[in-house]
Each structure stands twice: as structure tokens, then as C-alpha cells.
Amino acid sequence: MMRSQKEKMLAGEFYNAADPEIQADLLATGAWLKRYNDTLGQTTEHWHELLSERLGEVGRGTVIRPPFFCDYGFNIRIGANAYINFNCVILDVVEVKIGQGTAIGPAVQIYTADHPHDAEQRQAGLQVGRPVRIGRRVWIGGGAIILPGVTIGDNAVVGAGSVVTRDVPAGAKVVGIPARVANPHKQA
């Protein structure tokens, strides 16, 4: 039996994002985001209640400060006591997993959405997703960009403005464009 475009998307295979089922999910998330982003003056408890409506998992004590933006929401899983500051963008065509106690600065962008390198596949409207996994107690500085397929280990630090193009080992500090492990012996 043929798999739907949504099933292909969720499996990390090439899919066509113009598919009606996928477009309906985007519209539903857009309506939810409007509701969520209109709650800036509300309590964190109210935010948590709304997050639980749309996200795949949202741990106890987790805060996402509006405005917040995502593609679907149901592919996002966040552990307990995580904190995501204003203007975070998560393109969640496949799973984004954020561990407990992780803190994400303002304007961070997390991308699972990718496009084929072949021009004809791009022209045909194909897209693909690669999951992003962020460990426990990670700190991601403001304005950082996490690219598709990246895993960030527990207790790692990503410097503000960094572009993370490859996996970050547990406990490492990475900075720059592209992000590289910081030299702990170099003086500032």
C-alpha cells in the first residue's frame, strides 16, 4: 500500500509539502500559534496548558515565551523544566527532542526541514526532514541556528549566534559559524 505524503514526511523520506493533508496540519497549527502568541501577558500555567494541546510532549515546568513559531508542533517533545525564550522558531517536519532543564535563548532557530541537493527534486517540490535531538541541561545562546540532523549532547553549551552544522558532544562548548568546539586554553 502506498504511504501518504504525511507518513513519508514523518518517516524522514522525501515528501511533497503541497499535499492537502500536510497543508491542513499547517493551517491548524497556524490557528493554534495565533492563539498561543496572543497570550504574552498570561501566566506560565496558561502557556503550559496551551502547549499541551499541540506539542507532542511538554514536560512539567516547561516554559515557552511567546511569540513562538513552529510548523506542526506535534513533532516537538520537550522534557521537564526546559525554558525557551521569545521568538524561537522550530521547523518540526520530523521529531525535535529537547531534554529536561535545557535553556534556549531568544531568536534561536531549530530546523529539521531540509531540501534535496538535486535541483530537479527541488523543482518537483520535494522536501525531507532530519530529526534534531538536544540533550538535558543544554544552554543554547540567543540567535543560534541548529541545522537538520544535529544532535547536541547533555550539558553542552552553544554560543550565541552560532550555526550548528554537526553533532555537539556532551559537555562541549561550541561557538562560531560554523560552530566548532571552543578552545578552553585560549585567552579571550
Side-chain angles (χ1 to χ4, degrees), residues 18 21 31 34 57 70-71 75 97 109 130 149 158 169 177:
E21 181 181 18
K34 181 171 181 2
E57 178 183 333
C70 64
D71 276 333
N75 289 321
K97 192 169 189 178
Q109 299 172 53
R130 295 185 288 138
V158 175
I177 303 172

Side-chain angles (χ1 to χ4, degrees), residues 25-91:
D25 282 339
L26 286 170
L27 287 172
T29 301
W32 175 83
L33 283 168
K34 181 171 181 2
R35 284 180 41 230
Y36 188 77
N37 289 332
D38 285 346
T39 66
L40 186 56
Q42 299 293 318
T43 65
T44 57
E45 292 79 14
H46 184 70
W47 291 343
H48 195 275
E49 185 178 307
L50 285 172
L51 291 169
S52 296
E53 286 180 16
R54 193 73 188 164
L55 300 189
E57 178 183 333
V58 57
R60 182 182 199 92
T62 286
V63 172
I64 299 178
R65 294 183 75 183
F68 167 69
F69 305 95
C70 64
D71 276 333
Y72 302 99
F74 52 72
N75 289 321
I76 300 170
R77 287 164 179 56
I78 306 175
N81 299 312
Y83 180 84
I84 299 175
N85 213 328
F86 297 111
N87 284 316
C88 183
V89 174
I90 301 178
L91 301 185

Side-chain angles (χ1 to χ4, degrees), residues 121-177:
Q121 287 179 313
R122 283 193 309 275
Q123 191 66 31
L126 295 179
Q127 297 181 25
V128 68
R130 295 185 288 138
V132 170
R133 293 178 178 91
I134 300 169
R136 296 174 296 151
R137 297 176 309 278
V138 171
W139 166 245
I140 300 175
I145 299 173
I146 314 301
L147 293 184
V150 166
T151 295
I152 299 173
D154 293 345
N155 303 308
V157 174
V158 175
S162 296
V163 177
V164 183
T165 61
R166 58 181 147 191
D167 292 352
V168 176
K173 178 179 182 181
V174 297
V175 296
I177 303 172

